[in-house]
Amino acid sequence: MHEPRRTPARRPRVVLFDVFETLLQLNALRSRFVDVGRPEHELELFFARTLRDGMALTLAGGSPPFAEVARSALIGTTERRLSEAAVQHVLAGFNELPPHPDVEPALIMLAKAKVPAYAFTHGSAEVVRDALDRVQLRSYLRGVLSAEEISSFKPPAAVYHWACERVGTEPARTALVAAHSWDVHGAIRAGLLAGFATRLEGGMSDIFDAPHVVAEHLDDVIERLLALPA
């Protein structure tokens, strides 16, 4: 199989941030599982199933909106024991996710460097905008890009190329920053630069392509991306 050409490490002209777990903390949903009588540890399985199902639907020919995929995954994860009101209570938590503490310093660093930043999600753009507004972070961003517009989840290359077209940059000068190794791998394979924050997974699996920069925290990832040669 032909291996895609890896983009050389260079300072990005635009940075795209994954949202859930990269910018916003999913842990805040744990209490909502408890509210509806479910164990808090079901959060991980629910979100993993949401991503799995969204990716599978994408591969099969197009995914419905994130909210529909998440609702189905939640119902399955909780053994179909939740009322509709309980399902909606859990899902409403996506509007109220707090940021990780290293997010604002990272965004401030990019603003000072005059490098545009965007949120890039397969979730609802409206939900992400509301969540970022609630924690006063959206003013640091030029916009919120959602792959829902093209009925897709990440990580197919076409999704990253679509995002680059939307922001008017070439992939080789656009960085994807994420706390998910699979997302970083997808971006690299699509010809983008990639920065990986290890605070969620602890490190990069050797089955994935190595990111251009790695650090535990998001602000350190951004510092290292900005230090790359122009």
Side-chain angles (χ1 to χ4, degrees):
M1 180 182 293
H2 174 70
E3 291 291 327
R5 181 177 178 272
R6 180 181 175 88
T7 292
R10 292 188 292 178
R11 178 185 168 112
R13 293 174 181 162
V14 172
V15 174
L16 308 175
F17 285 98
D18 172 59
V19 175
F20 300 132
E21 284 298 14
T22 300
L23 297 182
L24 302 177
Q25 299 183 51
L26 282 179
N27 272 343
L29 292 178
R30 293 187 188 280
S31 63
R32 290 183 177 254
F33 278 81
V34 175
D35 290 344
V36 299
R38 303 300 302 182
E40 66 175 28
H41 66 75
E42 285 187 338
L43 168 62
E44 283 86 359
L45 181 57
F46 153 66
F47 194 64
R49 284 181 169 178
T50 300
L51 295 178
R52 178 202 67 186
D53 293 351
M55 292 175 186
L57 288 160
T58 296
L59 287 170
S63 173
F66 178 87
E68 293 181 27
V69 180
R71 180 180 180 278
S72 174
L74 179 60
I75 290 170
T77 299
T78 55
E79 302 171 331
R80 301 184 178 274
R81 293 181 180 179
L82 296 185
S83 67
E84 182 59 27
V87 168
Q88 293 307 318
H89 175 72
V90 174
L91 296 179
F94 278 100
N95 296 70
E96 301 178 4
L97 299 177
H100 286 278
D102 54 3
V103 172
E104 188 168 24
L107 294 175
I108 288 173
M109 201 177 302
L110 286 172
K112 288 182 176 178
K114 295 182 169 45
V115 175
Y118 294 81
F120 178 34
T121 183
H122 32 219
S124 161
E126 181 180 1
V127 167
V128 169
R129 282 193 290 265
D130 288 347
L132 292 170
D133 278 337
R134 189 181 298 273
V135 295
Q136 300 180 324
L137 288 179
R138 191 153 71 97
S139 61
Y140 294 111
L141 299 165
R142 295 286 183 92
V144 175
L145 306 175
S146 173
E148 280 191 349
E149 290 188 32
I150 54 173
S151 301
S152 183
F153 271 53
K154 294 181 278 183
V159 182
Y160 301 97
H161 294 162
W162 168 82
C164 292
E165 289 172 7
R166 283 290 307 273
V167 303
T169 58
E170 59 181 306
R173 301 313 299 264
T174 307
L176 181 283
V177 173
H180 300 284
S181 51
W182 60 263
D183 199 0
V184 169
H185 176 81
I188 293 168
R189 287 297 175 112
L192 279 71
L193 299 159
F196 181 48
T198 64
R199 58 165 149 74
L200 176 65
E201 298 179 7
M204 192 78 175
S205 168
D206 58 10
I207 66 172
F208 295 125
D209 289 350
H212 295 81
V213 302
V214 181
E216 181 178 1
H217 298 294
L218 213 61
D219 48 344
D220 292 328
V221 170
I222 294 305
E223 183 177 23
R224 292 178 187 186
L225 280 173
L226 292 175
L228 292 175

